[in-house]
Amino acid sequence: MQSFARAVVIGGGVVGVSTLYHLARKGWTDSVLIERKELTSGSTWHAAGLLPLFNLSYSVGQLHKYSVRFYKELQAETGMNVGFSNVTNIRLARTKDRMDEYRYYAGIAETIGVPVRFLTPEELKEVWPLCETDGVLGALQHPEDGYIQPADLTQALAKGARDRGAKIHRNTVVTAIEKLSSGNWKVVTDAGEIECEHIVSATGNFARRTGAMVGLDVPVIPVEHQYIVTEPHPAIMERRRQGLPEMGVLRESDSAWYMREEAGGLILGPYEKGAPVCYVDGPDPNSEYELFQEDLERLMPHIETAIARVPAFGEVGIKKVYNGAIAYTPDGSPIVGPALGLENFWLNEGHSFGITAAGGAGWQLAEWMVDGAPTVDMVGVDPRRFGPYASEGWLKVKNEEAYANVFTMHYPDEERVAGRPLKTSPSYERQKQLGGVFGSVYGWERANWFAPEGYEVPAAELDVGADVLLAENHPPADHTGRIRERWSFRRSNYFPHVGAEVKNVTENVGLLDMTPFAKALVTGPGARAWLDGLFANRIPKKRGRIALCHLLTETGGVKAEFTLYERRDGEFYLVSGGALESIDHDTMRRLLPKDDSVSFKTITQSTGVLVLAGPKSRDVLKVLTRSDLSNAAFPWLTGQRISVGPVGLDALRVNFVGELGWELHHPIEMQNTLYDLLMEAGAEFGIKPFGIRAMGAMALEKSYRQIPRELSIEYNALESGLERFVHPDKGAFIGRDAVVACRDEGYRWKFATLELHGIEDADARGSEPIHKDGVLVGRATNGGYGWRVGKSLALAMLKPEFAAEGTGLDITILGKAYKATVIGESPFDPENHVLRA
């Protein structure tokens, strides 16, 4: 074994070998892979090899698309057969909600260039003659999809990597990983030591054990997955003799199983409830090609529906039952990117669909490592999207939940309940008593909306549709014993209640708990200069002024967004989205100067935030403070230290709803005192709580951008419409050259606000395709109903020539085309008169 390598990849499954290949292809030809046994001996060898392009994530969908295309190219490059069977993939729909899911996905697919087609039951019977079509409303087909032989794919990747100069060491066990004083890493193995600049952990079921070597608590725990292989069936063998094409991978989503041909028989792979986690402490060090005892009893409901759908499945014997471990994360998406707090230590773990994702994940991780940033927005798979709250016990229940929900309908407003509540602000119980219906972000409970007292969803609206295994369209009953929310791709039961919250904020005053905001303090003699060299916006010279500041990539994309407030001389308070706390704060810490002139401290847990907004918010605060709240003394976009009753806090005159109001940043232990004071003082002014969905609806009417929707590494900051916040003339900052180039050479995309016409019961959600004369010209990034302007709205990224005000376009929502018009930014209060009131 050589003594030095640019990068060491640990793990010889398909994900690790793909990472090695792509690093070598990017020029890091001195990279090395270390595998404890033989290649594919972990989860790869027993994988069913499916290549499902279907994914409701815009970014993950791009990774899957790359993989399917790349595997064909790899075969040509290496001359090795990767065993790719392009038999297509067919997903059945038995309920109207499932068809809505497919129609929504079809829009995403079009925006990323993945072809799909819808099949009628008659067309389904033509391509899958052994499938009964009773109860099937239709199906979605991926013509470019199919399955692949995992071992053959891995060996082809290995050959491609070796041909480019990379090395693979099999039967070599990593025993320790050490950080050297030089900043490099030392990987200790039973065959010697190797020093390297970068490490990639792609160890699958061993992820937590590998992480523990460097002090990481990796949020991956595998779950048992079973699939059944049958004996050959005469009808399938006859089709083969006749030279008929192989039938596609069949998925009855509403019964949570997939099926495909295998050696003249069939494979059935169910995703059942009750599948347990395994390898919590990692597999046995000597494990290889390991399986668990099968448990067919767990699979019986799925087996019965499979026999009803494909009677041939029940007409032959079982050849083999595989029960192997598949790595899972709490949200079902992999973790690909930098490890929290460790320089040049990377994770490519948690792949529950590892064969599909391996190509794309290896591609983007190599881009990130070599060039400093990925080319696809990877926020949805960034390892740092989970925080220190992700304990072993929480992971166990969440990962089992993620497995059981692989085939459930992924409604855009879905909120899964396992492991909750976990993190609550002090006023949580008060909000519950006021009717709060909660969601979760970064472990925190947040009120999405408030239900009237005694409200519940009518039983007739719950679990509607065919008699299927997966019909849940709602969370379980909450603490009131009632089901108060029904999920949908269309306007749902909470729609008018959110409208009532917006109306009250617009006419009176509302109170919102935003404690989950990520909060940090930046201090030290070099703080101002450091921040000024990072952010695209100018740092306010006057203490108390507030600025919206963006951290860009070297290519000019938006990596992070902060509200910045100098609350004391040299003490800068930074606020960013709660879901991004670990990502944003880790990014900032990596950029700290080495001379200790700047200190960065997270204070999220100790600081609460209540938002008071509406035309009567000043009236409420006047009852509780002696401070002068007039425009002259307390203008918009400033902050002051004030007392509200006995509570000393920082009041920031800024919010995300576009109304007169303040964010009240306070010691978290004082939150209930503050909450009660505001509710009592506000009673005469009509105060009511409001939730995240009302806030989102109002933000939409102001054309406010969000990460990772309109603000993304994939769009230049100027393309995202941030001209007011980006100042190339202020001096050097990260991404300045790319911003200047974009300004001088022209935009590829342009941010726009759209008014949608003829909408009935379904607004845009984001990722809907936008056309002009039948040609794709952009995609929606957000959407919903604007209650204050009385219009259905969407935010979008468009080709610049179609982004001028007044341009007529078409937008496809759930398979139906609607007219849309580009309108001016901030359709509500475009001059900000209300904010400045």
Side-chain angles (χ1 to χ4, degrees):
M1 181 183 291
Q2 70 266 44
S3 60
F4 183 84
R6 175 70 66 87
V8 170
V9 179
I10 306 173
V14 65
V15 172
V17 183
S18 174
T19 305
L20 181 73
Y21 169 90
H22 283 92
L23 285 171
R25 195 173 77 170
K26 285 288 291 183
W28 287 13
T29 55
D30 60 342
S31 297
V32 168
L33 183 144
I34 299 173
E35 163 55 40
R36 53 184 284 277
K37 295 290 185 180
E38 293 290 343
L39 300 184
T40 79
S41 62
S43 293
T44 299
W45 79 271
H46 64 73
L50 305 183
L51 297 174
L53 286 164
F54 185 92
N55 197 289
L56 295 182
S57 164
Y58 176 75
S59 56
V60 176
Q62 293 184 79
L63 302 187
H64 288 191
K65 171 193 170 185
Y66 172 88
S67 291
V68 173
R69 185 187 74 239
F70 163 65
Y71 295 158
K72 297 175 185 177
E73 297 169 353
L74 179 69
Q75 182 164 299
E77 175 189 325
T78 62
M80 294 184 67
N81 185 357
V82 298
F84 182 31
S85 298
N86 183 200
V87 298
T88 82
N89 175 357
I90 300 163
R91 291 175 178 267
L92 309 183
R94 296 182 59 192
T95 68
K96 291 181 179 178
D97 276 12
R98 185 68 71 179
M99 285 301 294
D100 276 351
E101 181 185 50
Y102 291 170
R103 292 186 186 106
Y104 178 67
Y105 165 73
I108 299 172
E110 183 178 0
T111 64
I112 62 177
V114 173
V116 299
R117 62 186 290 245
F118 284 88
L119 304 177
T120 65
E122 294 74 24
E123 291 169 328
L124 167 64
K125 190 71 174 178
E126 291 178 10
V127 298
W128 238 95
L130 300 187
C131 175
E132 298 296 327
T133 59
D134 293 347
V136 174
L137 301 182
L140 179 80
Q141 184 182 38
H142 281 93
E144 296 182 354
D145 207 331
Y147 64 91
I148 202 165
Q149 298 302 324
D152 294 344
L153 170 62
T154 306
Q155 293 299 337
L157 286 165
K159 182 179 188 302
R162 289 187 181 111
D163 288 348
R164 294 172 184 273
K167 301 289 192 300
I168 296 176
H169 298 281
R170 298 171 295 123
N171 298 303
T172 303
V173 179
V174 174
T175 58
I177 303 171
E178 301 173 15
K179 188 71 171 176
L180 302 176
S181 58
S182 64
N184 285 344
W185 293 95
K186 180 171 73 174
V187 180
V188 181
T189 78
D190 59 359
E193 299 177 351
I194 183 167
E195 184 178 336
C196 59
E197 295 176 18
H198 296 259
I199 291 178
V200 179
S201 175
T203 54
N205 298 328
F206 287 86
R208 291 178 66 75
R209 188 173 294 173
T210 308
M213 291 183 180
V214 293
L216 281 179
D217 192 2
V218 179
V220 172
I221 295 180
V223 180
E224 292 183 17
H225 173 59
Q226 304 182 81
Y227 65 87
I228 301 168
V229 183
T230 75
E231 299 288 353
H233 190 281
I236 297 176
M237 298 301 293
E238 179 60 26
R239 286 179 58 84
R240 289 190 167 196
R241 279 191 290 270
Q242 294 179 20
L244 295 174
E246 182 176 340
M247 295 178 292
V249 179
L250 187 71
R251 284 179 164 86
E252 180 159 294
S253 301
D254 297 302
S255 296
W257 53 256
Y258 63 81
M259 183 183 290
R260 71 167 177 86
E261 292 185 36
E262 173 69 10
L266 294 166
I267 286 179
L268 176 74
Y271 281 82
E272 75 278 20
K273 293 182 178 180
V277 296
C278 55
Y279 294 148
V280 175
D281 298 316
D284 183 275
N286 297 313
S287 67
E288 185 177 14
Y289 304 114
E290 188 168 75
L291 293 174
F292 300 105
Q293 179 66 42
E294 67 268 21
D295 184 356
L296 289 179
E297 187 67 27
R298 285 206 319 259
L299 305 186
M300 285 311 298
H302 306 276
I303 292 172
E304 291 167 0
T305 61
I307 292 173
R309 183 61 56 205
V310 183
F313 176 73
E315 296 168 357
V316 287
I318 294 176
K319 181 194 295 184
K320 174 75 173 176
V321 178
Y322 290 85
N323 185 12
I326 299 182
Y328 262 84
T329 66
D331 59 9
S333 292
I335 54 173
V336 184
L340 179 66
L342 296 179
E343 187 175 4
N344 295 338
F345 193 99
W346 306 82
L347 296 168
N348 203 348
E349 303 279 16
H351 287 275
S352 52
F353 292 89
I355 307 302
T356 315
W363 162 53
Q364 279 302 297
L365 191 59
E367 296 283 322
W368 208 336
M369 293 171 66
V370 176
D371 295 336
T375 55
V376 172
D377 197 314
M378 299 286 280
V379 168
V381 296
D382 194 306
R384 299 165 296 177
R385 70 187 185 274
F386 302 110
Y389 60 87
S391 67
E392 176 189 296
W394 186 80
L395 290 173
K396 288 167 66 176
V397 297
K398 294 302 288 187
N399 289 15
E400 289 177 353
E401 178 188 57
Y403 177 90
N405 281 279
V406 165
F407 275 108
T408 59
M409 276 168 282
H410 298 296
Y411 295 102
D413 43 15
E414 172 190 36
E415 296 281 358
R416 296 182 184 173
V417 298
R420 293 176 50 201
L422 183 65
K423 295 162 62 177
T424 60
S425 65
S427 63
Y428 170 71
E429 291 296 333
R430 284 160 167 74
Q431 295 176 67
K432 279 175 60 176
Q433 296 306 312
L434 291 169
V437 180
F438 292 85
S440 178
V441 61
Y442 197 70
W444 288 99
E445 294 293 308
R446 297 192 309 184
N448 282 330
W449 61 286
F450 288 81
E453 186 174 356
Y455 176 81
E456 63 182 329
V457 180
E461 298 181 18
L462 300 176
D463 303 336
V464 294
D467 181 19
V468 297
L469 295 182
L470 301 181
E472 295 91 345
N473 62 353
H474 59 87
D478 61 15
H479 67 282
T480 67
R482 302 178 179 90
I483 295 169
R484 298 193 292 181
E485 179 162 301
R486 172 177 54 82
W487 300 325
S488 177
F489 287 87
R490 301 174 185 270
R491 293 174 180 171
S492 193
N493 69 294
Y494 58 77
F495 182 75
H497 304 295
V498 169
E501 292 176 21
V502 173
K503 184 175 188 291
N504 190 68
V505 173
T506 305
E507 297 178 355
N508 298 308
V509 58
L511 186 63
L512 169 69
D513 180 9
M514 287 298 288
T515 295
F517 269 149
K519 293 151 293 221
L521 286 180
V522 177
T523 57
R528 178 180 289 276
W530 178 66
L531 292 169
D532 194 51
L534 296 183
F535 294 149
N537 202 355
R538 295 186 177 92
I539 307 302
K541 294 180 179 179
K542 185 177 180 181
R543 186 167 66 84
R545 294 293 301 176
I546 295 170
L548 189 63
C549 296
H550 298 88
L551 177 66
L552 309 185
T553 65
E554 292 289 354
T555 55
V558 179
K559 184 182 292 187
E561 179 182 64
F562 298 92
T563 298
L564 181 148
Y565 161 60
E566 187 179 8
R567 65 180 195 179
R568 296 181 183 86
D569 288 338
E571 180 181 273
F572 296 89
Y573 181 53
L574 297 182
V575 182
S576 60
L580 303 173
E581 179 176 314
S582 284
I583 296 175
D584 287 349
H585 290 189
D586 187 57
T587 299
M588 294 294 283
R589 286 192 174 95
R590 291 171 187 264
L591 295 169
L592 284 170
K594 304 300 183 184
D595 59 5
D596 295 326
S597 62
V598 181
S599 171
F600 187 95
K601 179 183 180 183
T602 297
I603 59 169
T604 301
Q605 302 285 358
S606 62
T607 308
V609 182
L610 296 179
V611 178
L612 189 71
K616 299 179 182 177
S617 56
R618 183 182 281 119
D619 299 322
V620 175
L621 278 183
K622 279 182 178 179
V623 177
L624 299 169
T625 184
R626 296 178 58 250
S627 297
D628 187 347
L629 304 175
S630 67
N631 271 326
F634 206 145
W636 182 46
L637 292 181
T638 65
Q640 295 181 25
R641 186 75 182 172
I642 69 172
S643 289
V644 178
V647 180
L649 51 79
D650 287 287
L652 277 57
R653 195 171 162 193
V654 65
N655 59 56
F656 203 61
V657 302
E659 296 283 345
L660 170 68
W662 283 263
E663 289 180 359
L664 306 176
H665 296 248
H666 54 273
I668 200 164
E669 66 273 14
M670 301 181 187
Q671 182 169 98
N672 281 343
T673 297
L674 180 62
Y675 196 94
D676 292 344
L677 285 169
L678 293 169
M679 291 299 290
E680 291 166 7
E684 66 174 295
F685 302 106
I687 195 170
K688 292 180 182 178
F690 68 103
I692 295 298
R693 290 189 178 137
M695 182 192 76
M698 290 186 278
L700 180 67
E701 293 175 298
K702 294 294 294 176
S703 302
Y704 289 158
R705 289 73 150 163
Q706 296 182 54
I707 291 176
R709 293 177 176 268
E710 303 78 28
L711 306 181
S712 165
I713 67 165
E714 296 185 32
Y715 305 122
N716 190 280
L718 298 184
E719 295 173 336
S720 295
L722 297 182
E723 291 88 350
R724 290 173 295 167
F725 309 105
V726 177
H727 298 282
D729 58 339
K730 82 175 185 105
F733 59 86
I734 296 174
R736 180 187 178 278
D737 291 348
V739 167
V740 171
C742 180
R743 182 190 64 190
D744 295 344
E745 298 169 10
Y747 297 2
R748 300 164 304 143
W749 299 96
K750 190 169 179 59
F751 172 80
T753 303
L754 307 180
E755 177 185 345
L756 280 49
H757 309 288
I759 295 295
E760 298 163 354
D761 67 341
D763 301 288
R765 298 276 192 167
S767 292
E768 289 83 3
I770 299 171
H771 300 88
K772 178 67 174 180
D773 299 327
V775 177
L776 183 70
V777 298
R779 59 183 284 264
T781 53
N782 199 357
Y785 189 71
W787 289 94
R788 293 176 295 194
V789 298
K791 297 174 181 178
S792 185
L793 302 171
L795 305 183
M797 298 301 293
L798 303 173
K799 294 293 185 182
E801 60 267 34
F802 302 103
E805 281 189 51
T807 303
L809 301 167
D810 297 298
I811 183 169
T812 302
I813 301 175
L814 301 182
K816 184 176 179 180
Y818 295 89
K819 297 296 181 184
T821 304
V822 178
I823 61 175
E825 187 170 323
S826 186
F828 174 76
D829 188 29
E831 302 299 325
N832 290 326
H833 295 307
V834 172
L835 278 171
R836 300 172 186 270

